Amino acid sequence: MISRLSALFAAVACAATLAVSPLAAQAQDQAASAAASAAEATPAPADIAPAAVAEPAAAKPVDNPYSLGNIVAHGNVVDQAVLAILAIMSMGSWYILFTKLWDTSKIAREAKEVRASFFKKASLQEGLKSLSETGAFRFIAQTGVEASEHHEGALTENIDHNTWVTMNIDRAVSEVNSRLQGGLGFLATVGSTSPFIGLFGTVWGILQALTQIGVAGQASIDKVAGPVGAALIMTAIGLGVAVPAVLGYNWLVNRNKSVMGQVRAFAADLHGVLMGSRKVAGR
């Protein structure tokens, strides 16, 4: 539970960082342009000392009506909805990345412990006690042992013991694999759709800007550049959401393959031990 909450807080922090970085860059650009314009507009008189010229007055920041902050605060419903959807996608992607990283790391640590101690125990019951109660290997081992010890009933009498144990272990391994794969579909969806959602926000913003310019009857560069630039921010945000999701998806797929290889190896060894103990017991 603690790891899930930590992953949620980390996801919110990453999404907030991606959202704030364009605002910080815009604020720096505005401050630099304001300082430069103030320095050009007020030349220093000849009778003023150089020390006084070297200390320019603090420039008043220029309010940019087409910044990302203005879109968030005063944008229309469509712009705010697009930003909200992209923010939810970003937080969900980072949450899945952190939680799945935790899950695969946990199973990898358990695999090392299993190789070092499980098969060296005197009995399967002692081996089960050495495994974590909430771990994937404990779940698979417990399933295999129960299937080996409880092979009875009219419905299963036509299934031989070897096939019965194999079926139950395979089901347990498939369930572990399904848990690891959970959330990857969301990452794939975010990676494939978020650029288009951002592009939709851009198209809508440009349409609104051109409509306002047409109504006003002014087509100068200062009337066009601001609204169009603000609309293009949507595309940048969409790409900023998509790239981590795609990279994280590919990375987690490779990690899951490696981890599941260790899980299947343990399941095969467990099956061999169960079959061997069955033959010994039957003598």
Side-chain angles (χ1 to χ4, degrees):
M1 183 65 182
I2 296 177
S3 62
R4 302 288 178 178
L5 293 176
S6 301
L8 179 60
F9 291 145
V12 173
C14 291
T17 302
L18 293 176
V20 171
S21 56
L23 292 175
Q26 288 182 359
Q28 292 178 357
D29 294 340
Q30 293 172 9
S33 61
S37 60
E40 294 176 357
T42 58
D47 55 346
I48 297 180
V53 177
E55 298 178 358
K60 184 179 180 180
V62 180
D63 185 17
N64 185 4
Y66 307 113
S67 63
L68 179 61
N70 186 75
I71 295 176
V72 174
H74 307 291
N76 54 52
V77 177
V78 175
D79 293 337
Q80 293 178 347
V82 169
L83 289 175
I85 292 173
L86 291 176
I88 293 173
M89 285 184 167
S90 179
M91 288 187 292
S93 299
W94 286 107
Y95 175 77
I96 291 173
L97 284 173
F98 285 117
T99 54
K100 293 306 172 183
L101 176 61
W102 172 268
D103 292 340
T104 52
S105 300
K106 180 181 178 182
I107 294 179
R109 290 194 303 268
E110 291 179 359
K112 293 181 180 179
E113 297 175 358
V114 167
R115 288 196 302 267
S117 62
F118 180 81
F119 294 105
K120 296 180 181 179
K121 298 297 182 180
S123 65
L124 285 174
Q125 295 300 328
E126 292 183 5
L128 285 175
K129 293 178 181 178
S130 66
L131 299 177
S132 173
E133 295 183 357
T134 59
F137 292 94
R138 174 68 176 267
F139 172 69
I140 295 173
Q142 187 71 38
T143 301
V145 171
E146 291 179 356
S148 180
E149 294 177 350
H150 302 283
H151 179 225
E152 67 270 351
L155 296 178
T156 60
E157 63 182 2
N158 295 327
I159 304 176
D160 62 276
H161 181 264
N162 185 7
T163 304
W164 176 252
V165 174
T166 302
M167 290 168 55
N168 281 271
I169 292 178
D170 288 344
R171 290 195 193 101
V173 172
S174 298
E175 185 171 346
V176 172
N177 187 32
S178 298
R179 292 176 182 176
L180 287 179
Q181 297 292 333
L184 296 185
F186 181 82
L187 291 180
T189 302
V190 171
S192 60
T193 59
S194 57
F196 297 101
I197 295 176
L199 183 61
F200 171 77
T202 297
V203 173
W204 181 264
I206 292 176
L207 176 62
Q208 297 299 313
L210 294 178
T211 301
Q212 294 176 3
I213 292 171
V215 172
Q218 299 178 353
S220 58
I221 188 64
D222 59 332
K223 299 295 183 181
V224 176
V228 172
L232 291 175
I233 296 176
M234 295 291 190
T235 301
I237 296 176
L239 293 175
V241 173
V243 171
V246 173
L247 295 178
Y249 173 83
N250 295 329
W251 182 45
L252 289 177
V253 166
N254 292 330
R255 284 182 63 90
N256 288 350
K257 288 181 180 179
S258 176
V259 169
M260 286 307 302
Q262 297 175 345
V263 171
R264 292 189 177 94
F266 169 77
D269 295 339
L270 176 66
H271 179 268
V273 171
L274 290 173
M275 294 299 99
S277 62
R278 177 76 174 186
K279 293 178 182 179
V280 172
R283 291 180 182 177

